[in-house]
Amino acid sequence: MALAKLYLEHKSTIHNLGWRILQITSQQGMVLFLFILCARFLSPIEFGFYNYTLAIVLFLVMFGDFGISSATSKYVAEYNVTNKEKLRAIPFNAGITVFGFGLLTSIIVLIFGSLYLGNHFESVLYVLPLVFLTPLVSLYDGIYRGLRRFRSLTLISAVIACLFVPLAYFLVKTQGLLGALLAQDVFYFVLLAGLVIGYRDFAFKINWKVIKMILKYSVIVGIGSVGFFFFGKIDTIFLGSFGYIKDIGYIEILNRLFSIVGTLPLIIASVIGPTIAGIHSRKEHKLLLIKLNKYIVLSLIIALIGSLAFLFFGKYVIQFAFPQYYDQTMINIIPLYSLLLFSYLCASIVPSGFAVYTGHAKISAYFLIGFGILHVILNYVFLSAFGFYGLIFSILLTRIPSDLLFIFFYKTILSREQTAETAAY
């Protein structure tokens, strides 16, 4: 009886959550499949080179998007409730903004890339289209989520992912490193084409007010994205710069497992985000704080289960999927990363499910930039002093405090908003 009541109260959210799980499973499953193919068919040096190249390109993608896709999702969710006509102006104007950022980034790479990328310049050129494709896919993903069209998003992603599996296998098996890089371009191009065909309800008219509005908020999210990059792919770039090409595989495999375990809270965040945006736009601060407390408790439960599962069973997954990386180094890292996973899962729902949609992305940006810069400094110092394990200690000393302190400060701010609202009445 209690379960039936719970289902009726949250029917829409539960259905959307189910569709979002299927969509992320299919899309990320394709990415994971390609990752495993590369780990199996490429040598450890080639695998490290592959991940190092993608890390550089993702750094460029970050500037090609710079928070535009997240900002678009927020405004789509808001205007879907308050202003349908303004909603139609968002996709086209956000798209040309993303294209402009991508074009500028590409021109800079073509002019200065050979000077700063050295031997990696040619491989980066193969995946340079991702500077356009990845942000545009994220943009459309945000539009579908903002409109709560989770079913359509799932069907498009799942069909394309399934059709792409044999092609990905062929490219990596026959073309090696080059095929692995080109497979990224093909997958995101086909996925973008499917998403565009699936949603065409927008106005082909440049609206400078909409562009300015999106850019104003996207800059805040984009700064946070830079900080987030300092907590993730920057580690791969540091290892490559210090000559630890083979060791990149350890970090990338663990990060990939993190992304899998962290999928559920991120799916929850993407599903509740539009609802949170609606609550905040109606200034229902008390209800917002109640929901925040519930999702903090849910995050703690997910974090405890996920980190313990990773600690006790992670090694078996690695031994099965990535046997050539299952050695004493990996065994030593797993307990340390289980602590990191706990804090990561604790802070997965609130930033992307609440802060972005309530207009508080700048708080996340401050934390990510501040601790991100500290992380970059410690990476350099610890890698120089302690080698590969120094990077692990740098990660632990910066990510865990950043994750946990953010939750505390964000909750404090919402509590103050509720207090101010109560005092006003």
Side-chain angles (χ1 to χ4, degrees), residues 18 46 159 182 190 222 234 239 242 276-277 280 291 295 343 361 368 409 421:
E46 287 179 322
V159 170
L182 293 178
V190 176
I234 197 70
L239 288 174
F242 275 75
I276 298 303
H280 186 262
K291 285 190 173 293
Y295 280 103
S343 70
L368 289 170
F409 276 97
E421 179 190 28

Side-chain angles (χ1 to χ4, degrees), residues 289 292-294 296-297 350 363 405-418:
L289 192 59
L292 176 66
N293 290 330
K294 288 182 178 179
I296 287 176
V297 173
V350 175
I363 304 172
L405 285 174
F406 171 79
I407 301 296
F408 172 77
F409 276 97
Y410 180 69
K411 182 179 178 180
T412 300
I413 288 173
L414 288 192
S415 297
R416 289 176 180 173
E417 289 182 355
Q418 182 192 1

Side-chain angles (χ1 to χ4, degrees), residues 1-15:
M1 195 71 179
L3 289 176
K5 183 180 179 181
L6 180 66
Y7 171 76
L8 291 175
E9 289 178 353
H10 304 279
K11 181 179 179 180
S12 177
T13 300
I14 292 172
H15 285 186

Side-chain angles (χ1 to χ4, degrees), residues 80-386:
N80 189 41
V81 176
T82 61
N83 193 327
K84 297 287 186 180
E85 188 59 34
K86 208 168 185 178
L87 170 64
R88 297 186 71 248
I90 291 178
F92 177 71
N93 287 278
I96 61 174
T97 305
V98 167
F99 184 83
F101 272 74
L103 183 62
L104 178 61
T105 303
S106 299
I107 291 173
I108 293 173
V109 172
L110 293 174
I111 295 174
F112 300 104
S114 58
L115 294 175
Y116 294 98
L117 297 176
N119 295 332
H120 297 282
F121 178 59
E122 183 178 350
S123 61
V124 168
L125 290 180
Y126 284 119
V127 283
L128 193 59
L130 292 179
V131 172
F132 298 94
L133 297 174
T134 305
L136 287 172
V137 167
S138 297
L139 172 65
Y140 265 87
D141 185 272
I143 291 171
Y144 278 79
R145 286 188 287 111
L147 295 174
R148 295 184 176 90
R149 295 184 57 177
F150 293 99
R151 183 173 180 272
S152 299
L153 180 60
T154 299
L155 293 176
I156 293 170
S157 300
V159 170
I160 290 174
C162 291
L163 293 175
F164 189 71
V165 167
L167 179 59
Y169 182 86
F170 172 80
L171 286 172
V172 178
K173 181 73 180 296
T174 61
Q175 303 300 318
L177 179 60
L178 175 60
L181 295 173
L182 293 178
Q184 295 279 342
D185 295 332
V186 176
F187 177 63
Y188 280 98
F189 175 78
V190 176
L191 181 58
L192 175 62
L195 293 173
V196 171
I197 293 171
Y199 180 77
R200 301 183 299 277
D201 184 21
F202 49 81
F204 286 95
K205 183 179 180 181
I206 294 179
N207 188 320
W208 294 109
K209 289 184 178 180
V210 171
I211 292 176
K212 183 179 179 180
M213 175 189 70
I214 293 172
L215 284 176
K216 185 177 180 180
Y217 193 62
S218 70
V219 167
I220 298 172
V221 180
I223 292 172
S225 299
V226 174
F228 187 77
F229 187 87
F230 285 167
F231 274 132
K233 289 297 180 180
I234 197 70
D235 298 328
T236 298
I237 294 177
F238 262 98
L239 288 174
S241 300
F242 275 75
Y244 293 97
I245 297 295
K246 182 180 178 181
D247 295 303
I248 289 175
Y250 295 113
I251 298 297
E252 287 295 330
I253 288 171
L254 290 170
N255 286 341
R256 191 67 59 177
L257 292 178
F258 264 41
S259 67
I260 295 172
V261 178
T263 296
L264 177 59
L266 290 179
I267 290 174
I268 294 173
S270 67
V271 171
I272 67 172
T275 302
I276 298 303
I279 293 173
H280 186 262
S281 65
R282 294 190 296 270
K283 300 186 184 302
E284 298 175 350
H285 299 296
K286 183 177 180 180
L287 176 60
L288 187 63
L289 192 59
I290 291 173
K291 285 190 173 293
L292 176 66
N293 290 330
K294 288 182 178 179
Y295 280 103
I296 287 176
V297 173
L298 177 61
S299 297
L300 288 172
I301 295 172
I302 293 173
L304 183 61
I305 295 174
S307 59
L308 289 176
F310 179 76
L311 176 63
F312 292 111
F313 303 108
K315 60 182 180 181
Y316 300 112
V317 175
I318 295 171
Q319 186 178 20
F320 172 76
F322 311 100
Q324 57 184 329
Y325 289 93
Y326 183 71
D327 53 21
Q328 191 59 47
T329 299
M330 182 65 80
I331 293 173
N332 292 339
I333 297 174
I334 287 176
L336 299 175
Y337 259 65
S338 65
L339 297 174
L340 183 62
L341 181 60
F342 179 82
S343 70
Y344 171 75
L345 293 175
C346 280
S348 290
I349 295 178
V350 175
S352 53
F354 280 81
V356 170
Y357 286 91
T358 59
H360 294 92
K362 62 182 179 181
I363 304 172
S364 178
Y366 294 153
F367 269 84
L368 289 170
I369 283 294
F371 281 94
I373 292 173
L374 176 61
H375 180 57
V376 169
I377 295 172
L378 290 182
N379 270 1
Y380 182 81
V381 174
F382 284 12
L383 267 171
S384 301
F386 307 110

